[in-house]
Amino acid sequence: MQALRTAATGMSAQQLNVEVISNNIANMNTVGFKRQRAEFQDLLYQTLERAGAQSSDQGTVVPTGLQVGAGVKAGSIYRIVEQGAMTQTGNKLDMAIQGRGYLQVLLPTSEIAYTRAGNLSLNDQGQLVTSEGYQIQPSIVIPPEATDISISKSGQVQIKQAGATAPSIVGNLELATFVNEGGLEAIGDNLYLESGSSGAPNLSVPGVDGTGVLLQGYTEASNVDAVSEVTALIVAQRAYEMNSKVITAADQMLSTANQVKS
Amino acid sequence: MDNALYIGLSRQMTLQRHLDIVANNIANADTSGFKTEEPIFRTEPKSPARTADGPKPIKFVIDAGLARDFSQGALRATNSTLDLAIDGAGFFRIQTPGGERYTRDGHFRLDETGRIVTQSGQPVLDAGGAEVIIDPKKGALEIARDGSMSQGIEQVGRLGVVVFDTLSDLEKSGDNQFRNTSNQQPQPAPASLLRQGMLEASNVNPVLQVTDMMNVTRAYESLARMMESTQELSRRTVERLGRVE
């Protein structure tokens, strides 16, 4: 009976939906996190009678075909790259990206990863690093004698040194943008890798060519909305239950058939 | 006598198909742009097995077709730039290797070359039937109610939305897409309203589907009972007639 398998596809799709929602809720307070959504598509249809097929020699045609669908599958799990709220931290090394773009991070494997989590720190050599200690690219070194750091909207990093009246520039941050941001591959730790569907990174000065600007002293909060996630969870759970009801119904019909006395 | 059994069987077969279709509706209760389906049954008159004393013709049941409910599904906000919902009649045009397909699932994205594509990577067509290429550097993409797309003050094209005179000529081909099975040409939609940042939810009504399902299982059971008693009747007949007085 097709209904059993169809309902099973429905149950596994809703299970995936719950997994995506629970990951969103778990990351409600993760800096720079972008919420995800599962989108579904219907599976193939078995066409038993084609619409428009001839039903007699007189040229009459079947007005409506007869198709039975095989269920549902996960079409894609996509990231909604909506801007998260800006949270003021007052930390000189925190920066939020307002608009499009990602900071570049040098991984220990010497690959470049991309992130929107701008909660940065300094390592023992004075280099600007992420919370995992991975270097930000282009590398920026803050000398130990610096008394103040300021990061401009366009990514220019300036320091003030004791005794000097004018600030000095120690480097410029760049932002990478992608044609299809949703296609970036998430690798955890708030990091993303370039993928075949994201396109090649486009480096530019913040604020130029449609990229966002940097805000010092802020971090970008996760864009997960608790209320809509909880409602989505309720919908998913009920849909799961309904699919299991179909399995019960199909099972009941099969058992009726089995109990027919000969 | 056998007629009753065969009639019961014909109904049981259609009931199984009915459950398959209900199962597919329920499985797709959360699929964007999905349209509910319902089987149509009709009577199939046939002459009975024995006509000596001229009984009325008997009527079998047969599945005649499928009704598709093309009514509007609820719109839900996703706030994603390339999520589009059609408010009113109309379909988006999709280019696939098997020819043009139509969909109401407006969950699109850009691919690595900047084309607007569906979830499965097939290009979405504009009003003229060409692929749409967006350069994200030009700024945020705004899609107006009539499908015209702009980035900043620059107009960058217009998405194609088409309507069909006879919706029953459309056939589902999976992946939320419809296939045109007739020669009729789709016409540009005169008054379709596109909503950016929204998706059209499936129009499956869960309450109706669950009641349908209950009806199906109960009908199946009562048929089984009917067939059982018919068989019991013929068994007893054979017993009585065979008894030697």
Side-chain angles (χ1 to χ4, degrees), chain A residues 136-192:
Chain A
I136 295 291
Q137 294 289 312
S139 178
I140 286 170
V141 182
I142 308 286
E145 58 273 16
T147 54
D148 197 14
I149 305 166
S150 82
I151 302 165
S152 75
K153 284 197 167 182
S154 58
Q156 197 171 62
V157 185
Q158 294 179 323
I159 54 162
K160 224 170 173 181
Q161 278 164 311
T165 45
S168 53
I169 300 166
V170 291
N172 285 295
L173 287 167
E174 286 174 339
L175 287 182
T177 54
F178 296 88
V179 173
N180 174 26
E181 281 181 65
L184 287 170
E185 185 195 345
I187 53 166
D189 296 338
N190 298 336
L191 298 174
Y192 300 102

Side-chain angles (χ1 to χ4, degrees), chain A:
Chain A
M1 216 157 152
Q2 178 67 45
L4 278 173
R5 287 186 291 273
T6 307
T9 65
M11 284 178 84
S12 60
Q14 290 309 327
Q15 195 177 331
L16 181 80
N17 200 2
V18 170
E19 281 162 14
V20 172
I21 294 167
S22 60
N23 185 45
N24 284 344
I25 295 178
N27 284 293
M28 220 160 67
N29 286 321
T30 305
V31 174
F33 181 80
K34 299 292 171 204
R35 71 175 194 272
Q36 289 181 306
R37 254 187 68 86
E39 271 299 316
F40 301 108
Q41 290 181 324
D42 47 4
L43 279 173
L44 286 177
Y45 283 77
Q46 185 188 3
T47 304
L48 301 163
E49 200 165 27
R50 198 162 286 272
Q54 279 212 341
S55 59
S56 76
D57 290 346
Q58 265 66 46
T60 53
V61 293
V62 179
T64 47
L66 190 57
Q67 290 189 299
V68 181
V72 66
K73 67 170 182 210
S76 64
I77 298 174
Y78 71 109
R79 251 190 314 281
I80 297 182
V81 288
E82 202 189 2
Q83 179 81 45
M86 295 292 164
T87 320
Q88 191 168 18
T89 60
N91 186 345
K92 294 272 179 202
L93 289 172
D94 279 349
M95 61 192 94
I97 304 165
Q98 179 143 39
R100 300 176 61 227
Y102 294 81
L103 291 169
Q104 302 170 75
V105 179
L106 181 68
L107 296 182
T109 55
S110 68
E111 273 178 300
I112 296 284
Y114 303 90
T115 186
R116 280 183 71 92
N119 45 343
L120 306 179
S121 344
L122 295 180
N123 66 5
D124 54 342
Q125 283 129 46
Q127 289 164 327
L128 208 52
V129 293
T130 66
S131 47
E132 277 74 41
Y134 303 155
Q135 265 187 58
I136 295 291
Q137 294 289 312
S139 178
I140 286 170
V141 182
I142 308 286
E145 58 273 16
T147 54
D148 197 14
I149 305 166
S150 82
I151 302 165
S152 75
K153 284 197 167 182
S154 58
Q156 197 171 62
V157 185
Q158 294 179 323
I159 54 162
K160 224 170 173 181
Q161 278 164 311
T165 45
S168 53
I169 300 166
V170 291
N172 285 295
L173 287 167
E174 286 174 339
L175 287 182
T177 54
F178 296 88
V179 173
N180 174 26
E181 281 181 65
L184 287 170
E185 185 195 345
I187 53 166
D189 296 338
N190 298 336
L191 298 174
Y192 300 102
L193 287 182
E194 174 192 344
S195 79
S197 81
S198 69
N202 229 318
L203 297 182
S204 66
V205 176
V208 177
D209 281 347
T211 51
V213 291
L214 293 177
L215 291 180
Q216 191 186 13
Y218 287 84
T219 53
E220 184 185 6
S222 143
N223 68 354
V224 175
D225 172 26
V227 179
S228 62
E229 294 304 328
V230 171
T231 19
L233 189 64
I234 295 172
V235 172
Q237 192 188 352
R238 294 299 173 215
Y240 188 83
E241 277 177 24
M242 237 169 349
N243 278 299
S244 80
K245 273 249 166 66
V246 175
I247 293 187
T248 317
D251 176 44
Q252 209 172 343
M253 271 167 78
L254 287 177
S255 103
T256 309
N258 276 339
Q259 281 164 11
V260 170
K261 280 183 217 133
S262 54

Side-chain angles (χ1 to χ4, degrees), chain B residues 4-82:
Chain B
L5 276 181
Y6 287 132
I7 290 173
L9 206 55
S10 78
R11 178 71 183 125
Q12 278 192 328
M13 279 159 68
T14 56
L15 280 171
Q16 286 205 0
R17 185 147 298 154
H18 195 161
L19 188 71
D20 291 348
I21 289 169
V22 168
N24 189 48
N25 286 337
I26 290 182
N28 285 292
D30 205 13
T31 303
S32 296
F34 182 81
K35 297 296 168 202
T36 312
E37 293 172 326
E38 205 180 329
I40 305 171
F41 301 118
R42 68 178 165 82
T43 49
E44 175 85 351
K46 281 276 178 325
S47 51
R50 205 170 68 89
T51 47
D53 34 53
K56 299 265 186 310
I58 57 166
K59 292 190 169 88
F60 288 93
V61 58
I62 194 166
D63 33 13
L66 195 68
R68 220 163 258 143
D69 177 4
F70 277 100
S71 64
Q72 177 79 39
L75 299 184
R76 53 160 197 238
T78 62
N79 292 336
S80 188
T81 319
L82 278 171

